[in-house]
Amino acid sequence: MRTVIADKRWAEKYPEIGTGPVAAEPLISSEHFELEREKIFRRTWLNIGRVEEIPNPGDYIAKDLTMCRASVLIIRGRDGEVRGFHNVCSHRGNKLVWDEKGTCKGTLTCGFHAWAYNTKGELTWVPDEKNFFDLPKCDLGLTPIHTEVFEGFIFIHLAERPPESLREYLGGVADQLEGGGFGELALAKRYRVDEHANWKIALDAQNELYHLPFQHRRTIPEFCVLKDGQFTRLLDVRLFNHHSVYSSDPPEDRVGPATEKLAARFSVAETESRLPRIGSFDFYTIFPNMALLLFRGVSHDFYMSYNFWPQAVDRTDWDIKIYFRPAENAGQRVGQEYFTCLLRDLLQEDATAHEQIHIGLASRAKKELYFQDEEMQIRYFHTVLDRFYAEA
Amino acid sequence: MSAQKLPAEFADLEPFLDWALATERERTSKRLASSMEEIQAFYDYMSARVEAATAYLNAFPLGTLPPEAERLFHLSLSLMEVANAVEMFQNPAVINGFDVKRFAPVEDV
Ligand code: FES
Ligand SMILES: [Fe+2]
């Protein structure tokens, strides 16, 4: 597929999204933050991690979701099944597991009075049980949370009855990514960024390529502007039920730095792997707070995920994961290190900018934002937000 | 000294052994604590040796490197760490970069 250099294609493709300025207030206001807490994060499927993080029976991950005022425990049962629970003890409500990741031999034991639960969440042991009063032990398992897995990505839904299955919720995104072979790649690097910025400011700032030749003028300036000064255009923008993807192709004549060329030579592998890409770079926004980035790598495809976890209206835990084909030798591992260092350094440029944008917007000097056609997917994200804000 | 620090054919890299660091956090700290002259010297020398180094390392199954080869591996990783300082920023740190303490590698290797 060749990229077409033409203007305003996406507004033409999606006229219902509009072209006018967009309100800045939701990016900084505490009122919207509270709306998001009730109407978005408790009503949508949220990605918690991947199945490879808990490969064996008894493996678990636990995560405090500040935004949802919840702590979530995802555990692989003895039967191999992945289940999600509120990470809360039935005795007096202590948080059951305190570490973010671990393995249990058969039971999880509460640190307060040692009530114990098996990997299916059933209460199996109560010290001094005879001194309680008709304890309904069978009903006192951990409180389950709706947990579903798509292509190895574990999602939870905190509603008592989710309005749709994960597959239905992902809709067109699932159609595109189904059978993607994500499990063949392994986590190579993970970064946690503690940002003093609203989660949507961070996500919006990642959700376009317009900024590349400017904000990333030192790192990857060539990915957006052609040499003759003409702006490149996105290969495609697709809007789904709540989500979106934009795709691009790189400039054909890009000359990378010397070490990149070395790293590219080291990275050549026997086995090809291919993700279900649209272009050579696809950026999915999976509403509300996840992004999935698919890359055509030098010798094989790789992907990244972002989870933007709101901590406060002006504070975000940006969880960045980079997945490569597992290195077969030291040379490949060295080549990967080049690309992860490059990604890390340019995402540092972004993280700094997120905080500066937050300061700028928090001044309320500007009430509205202006999006160009290549920023259509951000505009769309804001229309989805508005839809959720307006729900009963 | 009985134990050699590096494989014999890479003994010329001995002056740079303080770049042989096992974790990304350590390699980043070293990059940030070094002057541009020090980074440039390591970059120039190691760039010319890294292809030979990886060719040597590839003869071992991954994860089974003897200690002196492991140091060579870590030197190669450090070259990747400093490359952007030389090729993109002409500065040890990312220009307009983020506080590295708040941009932390998890499960650091
Ligand atoms: S609160 Fe868990 S055993 Fe008491
Ligand atoms: Fe960026």
Side-chain angles (χ1 to χ4, degrees), chain A residues 123-136:
Chain A
L123 177 63
T124 54
W125 169 250
V126 174
D128 202 13
E129 188 183 344
K130 65 173 178 3
N131 213 28
F132 276 91
F133 309 90
D134 305 320
L135 207 59

Side-chain angles (χ1 to χ4, degrees), chain A residues 101 187 189-196 217-219 257-260 262-263 265-266 320 327-331 333-334 337-338 341-342 344-345 347-349 351-352 355, chain B residues 24 27-28 31 43 47 50-51 54 57-58 60 62 65 73 76-77 79-81 83-85 87-89 94-100 102-109:
Chain A
K101 184 177 169 65
L187 183 68
K189 293 279 181 181
R190 179 179 179 187
Y191 300 95
R192 292 280 282 273
V193 191
D194 173 18
E195 294 196 294
H196 301 172
R217 59 193 173 279
R218 297 182 179 88
T219 41
T259 311
E260 182 183 314
L262 275 176
R265 281 213 290 283
F266 299 159
I320 300 169
E328 293 152 3
N329 56 43
R333 174 67 187 78
V334 171
E337 188 79 4
Y338 175 79
C341 285
L342 174 58
R344 181 203 61 201
D345 285 3
L347 293 180
Q348 272 197 36
E349 296 177 318
T352 303
E355 296 190 346
Chain B
E24 181 177 346
R27 293 188 292 272
T28 303
R31 165 178 163 184
Y43 170 90
S47 290
V50 69
E51 286 211 86
T54 53
L57 295 169
N58 286 351
F60 298 90
L62 193 62
L65 299 176
F73 176 51
S76 305
L77 292 178
L79 175 64
M80 303 299 127
E81 173 66 52
N84 299 338
E87 295 170 350
M88 294 175 176
F89 306 114
V94 177
I95 308 273
N96 292 334
F98 203 71
D99 174 2
V100 293
R102 288 196 287 126
F103 198 123
V106 184
E107 291 157 49
D108 192 9
V109 282

Side-chain angles (χ1 to χ4, degrees), chain A residues 89 91-92 94 110 112-115:
Chain A
C89 178
H91 176 216
R92 282 167 55 194
N94 183 27
C110 180
F112 204 177
H113 316 90
W115 283 32

Side-chain angles (χ1 to χ4, degrees), chain A residues 206 211 216 350:
Chain A
Q206 295 307 114
H211 74 285
H216 300 304
D350 286 319

